[in-house]
Amino acid sequence: MKPERLAQKTKAASGILSHAATEKKNSILMILEKLIAEKQEYLFNENRKDIESAQKEGLPKSMIDRLRIDDKTIREMQASIRDVIALPDPVGEIVKLWNRPNKLLVGRMRIPIGVILVIYESRPNVTIEAFSLCLKSGNCVILKGGSEAYHSNLALFSLITESLEKAGITADAAQFIGTGDRSYIYELLKLDDYIDLIIPRGGEALIRSVVERSSIPVLKHYKGVCHIYVDEWAQLDLAYKVCLNAKVQKPATCNAMETLLVHRSVANTFLPEMADILHKQGVTIKGCEKTVKILKGIDKAKDQDWYEEYLDLTLSIKIVKDMDEAVSHIRKYGSDHTDVIITANYDNAWKFLREVNSSCVLVNASTRLNDGFQLGLGAEMGISTTKLHAFGPMGLEELTVNKFIAFGDGQLRE
């Protein structure tokens, strides 16, 4: 199907889906959740094709891990669907009402964005998460997954199509782009008459490519240069646990810690043990000049390293004189994604929360918690590092916009 025809069909379906009842949308998701369980062997077999291909191509282990569909992935996909079912339907919600002096009652109502093109890499469960969130928020979706997960994504999409058909909703409400021809995608990026929003999820190169070519608004899921600042008032036992989790629990994700900032007054005590803990987990450490003097045998970090999203077991460490220097470092090198302070000082915690303007700022908790599921949004579309119109994990509400409504009794403009 040609790009324009695909976009036209999806736009036509959005007129139906945008007004679908909550019960109808939930029934589609219930069918999909059941199909994933019933056809998991089919999913495993199709995923195996992608895994074998990735291994032959010599893709990094971290990427292969993200490609894999196993029992845990099946349970996670089902859980994310159930969470979305349980969440309130945002469509039609009145978020504010006020009276004007002329007695006109003015309000705002949530409505779907329309048609959303989601371009993503690696993780095939994004296919399910993106569809679930778009469906519940009344949006039609065009899905373009990475070629490395082609068989897995196609298999999951077949279940999506089946669930729509069984529930009596047009299958045009969700589309799948199977071709790897970039010119096909580039043409879609120009179809602003039919597609309302583009959400790219993947590496920096992918996002920049989409932004440069699109005439459609783009919500960027940019890179995650995430920091943890260990304050002079930090409880070190807590800091060890949080930093370890933030770096090694899943290093290939955008919310993994990439830079550790340490107050100079605790550096000599904290860093040797922290480094030992990290080394045991296979983490390679790069450090500033002061860090290199404390941790013998590590490489000195270059200026470019502070900008890096490693997505691997590599960590940059910098010793800072105070919180102001830590915040300045985050502002210069960070990506507005996720930043953390470890401290037992109430005033310092609030100073950090106020002055660091990332999409999620945490106190005494892992960067890995900046996630729609962890924050109670159900599945997430991604973590927006764009401040228009959504910032941070994008759940159902972030996939709607507000229109104005008004109730009158004959008011006129004079």
Side-chain angles (χ1 to χ4, degrees), residues 347-402:
D347 291 335
N348 283 10
W350 276 104
K351 176 180 171 68
F352 191 85
L353 288 172
R354 285 191 299 266
E355 296 189 8
V356 175
N357 290 323
S358 299
S359 77
C360 184
V361 185
L362 302 98
V363 178
N364 297 330
S366 173
T367 57
R368 292 280 293 120
L369 294 173
N370 187 14
D371 170 87
F373 184 79
Q374 296 293 329
L375 297 179
L377 304 182
E380 69 177 26
M381 184 62 75
I383 299 176
S384 170
T385 55
T386 306
K387 294 181 180 178
L388 296 175
H389 74 284
F391 193 35
M394 296 178 60
L396 291 177
E397 291 184 1
E398 288 72 31
L399 295 176
T400 64
V401 292
N402 296 335

Side-chain angles (χ1 to χ4, degrees), residues 10-11 14 28 52 68 76 81 92 94 103 122 147 156 161 240 243 259 273 275 285 325 331 338 345 353 368 384 411:
T10 314
K11 188 69 172 180
S14 72
I28 296 168
E52 290 172 355
R68 196 177 306 278
E76 287 174 346
I81 292 172
I94 308 297
K103 297 184 180 179
S122 297
S147 58
L156 289 166
T161 300
Y240 295 135
C243 292
T259 297
E273 185 168 349
I285 295 174
E325 185 180 352
R331 287 175 179 168
T338 311
N345 184 291
L353 288 172
R368 292 280 293 120
S384 170
Q411 284 88 344

Side-chain angles (χ1 to χ4, degrees), residues 9-21 138 140 168-170 172-173:
K9 291 180 71 174
T10 314
K11 188 69 172 180
S14 72
I16 299 169
L17 189 61
S18 63
H19 303 296
C140 290
I169 289 286
T170 173
D172 289 339

Side-chain angles (χ1 to χ4, degrees), residues 194-229:
Y194 310 113
I195 300 172
D196 300 287
L197 181 68
I198 299 175
I199 302 177
R201 294 186 54 170
E204 183 177 354
L206 167 68
I207 294 170
R208 290 198 183 280
S209 175
V210 170
V211 170
E212 289 169 2
R213 291 174 171 85
S214 180
S215 60
I216 303 166
V218 179
L219 261 182
K220 297 188 289 290
H221 178 119
Y222 200 47
K223 66 181 181 180
V225 183
C226 304
H227 301 79
I228 291 182
Y229 166 53

